[in-house]
Amino acid sequence: MQPYSPLTPDLADELRAIVGADHLIYDAPDRMQDYAHDEVADPRYAHMPEAVVKPESADQIAAIMRLANRERVPVTPRGAGSGLSGGAVPVYGGILLSLERMNRILEIDRQNLVVVVEPGVVTNDINAALQEFGLFYAGYPMSVETCFIGGNVAENAGGGRAIKYGVTGQYVLGLEVVLPTGEIVQLGGKRVKDVTGYDLLHLMVGSEGTLGIFTRITLRLRPLPIARIVLLIPFADVPSAIAAVPQVITQARVIPSSVEFMDRLSVQTAYDHIGERPPHPNIGALLLIELDGSSREQVEAEAEAIVDFVLEAGALDVYVGNTPTTERRMWRPRQILAEAFKVISPAQSLEDIVVPLAQIPDLMPELERLSHKYDVSIPCYGHAGDGNLHATPVKKPEMSLQTWEETLAALLEELYQVVSDLGGTISGEHGIGSKRAHYLALALDPTVIALQRRIKQTFDPLNILNPGKIFASDAL
Ligand SMILES: Cc1cc2nc3c(=O)[nH]c(=O)nc-3n(C[C@H](O)[C@H](O)[C@H](O)COP(=O)(O)OP(=O)(O)OC[C@H]3O[C@@H](n4cnc5c(N)ncnc54)[C@H](O)[C@@H]3O)c2cc1C
């Protein structure tokens, strides 16, 4: 156990003086309940904070960090709490630092093609504000309507358009960061190139709230695509759908903005959840392919090439969405899928394994094997275009909770080993957090883990910022 101190009424008074009485929750468990978990379904990963603070500036956050270091109280930064690895959960109690009040878009700089935002802006709101200028920010996690941009940077979030546009880190040009010890630093800026010293900016990206708290983020923008087409493509079975994924790129010679995959159970669950019938009676798997570009002719030509190819590759049909309404309707089942599975069974483990694209066909039979071996369902869906799949072990109703917990631990270990053997890794976008910390050694070499621990120690000598994340033991 860490040598952390309890958050006494005197310390709460000091926090109140920093953020204002209205922005501190202390000694009110009912009001802190929402801050005790993220979107991980398993209640074993939840933990109550001792206080919730809602600062409005980097200076206030710096003062909180200085206080936390002086008193040895842990601090856990939190965005929207949509995370899927327990990252924003205060596993040692202490101070939960919510960024929810820092939600302003500070500057849209059209000359430099950047936007400067505070960390608590909902990711989708950035694009809503940019639309009138013909610009867009390319990050597109499926939680885009709820997650915050600060959380995206902390997780280096991927999502539905990574195959063409890459992940969050590729768009982060600058960060203002409050370090665990309370100093405020500026990393990067509006410049596209920068090789001045170590790239601390990108060390911060994906650091899961353990190396610093982002208080201002400068993001690179792109011109808004003029045309978009969505193709919904049912297949009779998983192998033919999955085999088509790499070939869409290599044979149809098109890089779509998205290639999403759903197996039969995922399709059924998603469409049941929204009260609609799946687009074909014999669906064994579904691909959702989105194309975007700078002219309608270009996008239509690319769509034609893909339609020809997938029909030859065994698609049952192809449905085309080329208006905002049809596109939204086609995306909907995919967007609500995580939520739909959670409603069916909270005893589940949403994974985000990733393998090289060409190894996806080898992964699918392994999932089936593990499903039989451990007698659990493992529906699978996700960002097939970048090899990142949400295989989701789900408890069968007849299995006891205790057996499920034991089974899941063994199953995950074997699943992660399979993924690793295929040249993949245990998390493509959701992060390690507390949920996968015990499995880190399956994915990283001991020398690399030791190096990462030393980095953490350099930034945070007292292990005050978000302890219990990434590394299984906090013996730094
Ligand atoms: C339905 C659903 C769909 C999802 N789809 C995707 C997807 O397609 N791709 C994807 O990558 N993820 C996805 N996620 C996971 C989640 O939305 C992302 O990880 C997202 O980036 C988390 O943002 P948040 O604001 O909710 O962060 P939180 O969950 O609040 O926190 C996540 C981590 O970031 C840290 N953090 C938060 N803000 C800051 C800050 N300002 N400074 C430093 N650290 C900070 C926290 O300490 C924590 O470690 C999905 C989640 C759900 C529920």
Side-chain angles (χ1 to χ4, degrees), residues 180-411:
T181 36
E183 300 94 333
I184 301 173
V185 295
Q186 311 293 331
L187 301 173
K190 290 183 179 176
R191 43 194 182 269
V192 174
K193 288 183 162 181
D194 185 342
V195 291
T196 319
Y198 293 135
D199 189 356
L200 296 184
L201 175 73
H202 288 100
L203 178 61
M204 285 290 163
V205 175
S207 61
E208 302 193 24
T210 65
L211 296 183
I213 301 172
F214 317 139
T215 48
R216 191 178 282 230
I217 301 163
T218 303
L219 296 168
R220 189 175 190 174
L221 303 177
R222 287 176 157 261
L224 187 65
I226 285 167
R228 197 186 304 282
I229 286 183
V230 178
L231 305 172
L232 204 60
I233 310 169
F235 284 83
D237 53 64
V238 168
S240 39
I242 282 293
V245 172
Q247 292 180 358
V248 163
I249 299 162
T250 54
Q251 296 199 15
R253 292 173 186 242
V254 173
I255 299 208
S257 46
S258 294
V259 181
E260 295 290 311
F261 163 81
M262 292 191 242
D263 69 4
R264 185 196 305 274
L265 188 54
S266 304
V267 171
Q268 198 58 56
T269 305
Y271 280 87
D272 282 353
H273 191 77
I274 56 175
E276 286 182 19
R277 247 184 308 170
H280 195 281
N282 303 324
I283 291 186
L286 191 65
L287 291 184
L288 182 148
I289 297 184
E290 184 191 83
L291 301 152
D292 67 7
S294 52
S295 77
R296 180 133 300 270
E297 294 72 36
Q298 174 212 332
V299 175
E300 281 175 355
E302 290 179 353
E304 251 171 57
I306 290 182
V307 170
D308 290 347
F309 168 73
V310 293
L311 287 173
E312 260 176 52
L316 297 170
D317 212 334
V318 179
Y319 302 91
V320 181
N322 51 13
T323 65
T325 313
T326 50
E327 285 165 25
R328 258 198 310 277
R329 200 156 168 220
M330 287 179 169
W331 265 105
R332 194 78 199 136
R334 171 63 191 89
Q335 280 167 329
I336 54 82
L337 200 42
E339 188 53 39
F341 274 121
K342 221 165 141 187
V343 170
I344 286 187
S345 173
Q348 52 143 297
S349 184
L350 173 50
E351 298 303 313
D352 73 312
I353 50 178
V354 57
V355 293
L357 195 52
Q359 267 58 61
I360 298 188
D362 303 328
L363 174 67
M364 303 314 284
E366 286 293 315
L367 294 179
E368 210 174 315
R369 181 180 68 74
L370 292 173
S371 166
H372 289 304
K373 177 172 173 184
Y374 291 98
D375 195 26
V376 298
S377 319
I378 311 185
C380 186
Y381 61 95
H383 318 298
D386 32 73
N388 183 201
L389 287 173
H390 300 312
T392 306
V394 181
K395 179 177 99 60
K396 289 188 176 169
E398 59 276 15
M399 188 182 266
S400 75
L401 208 53
Q402 192 190 339
T403 310
W404 159 252
E405 285 171 6
E406 289 158 11
T407 304
L408 181 65
L411 188 161

Side-chain angles (χ1 to χ4, degrees), residues 39 77-84 87-88 99 119 141-143 147-148 150-152 154-155 157-159 208-209 212-214 338 383 429-430 466:
E39 287 296 320
R78 182 181 177 94
S82 73
L84 289 166
L99 280 311
M142 297 293 97
S143 50
C147 63
F148 293 173
N152 295 170
E155 296 290 359
E208 302 193 24
I213 301 172
F214 317 139
H383 318 298
E429 56 181 22
H430 296 164
N466 213 357

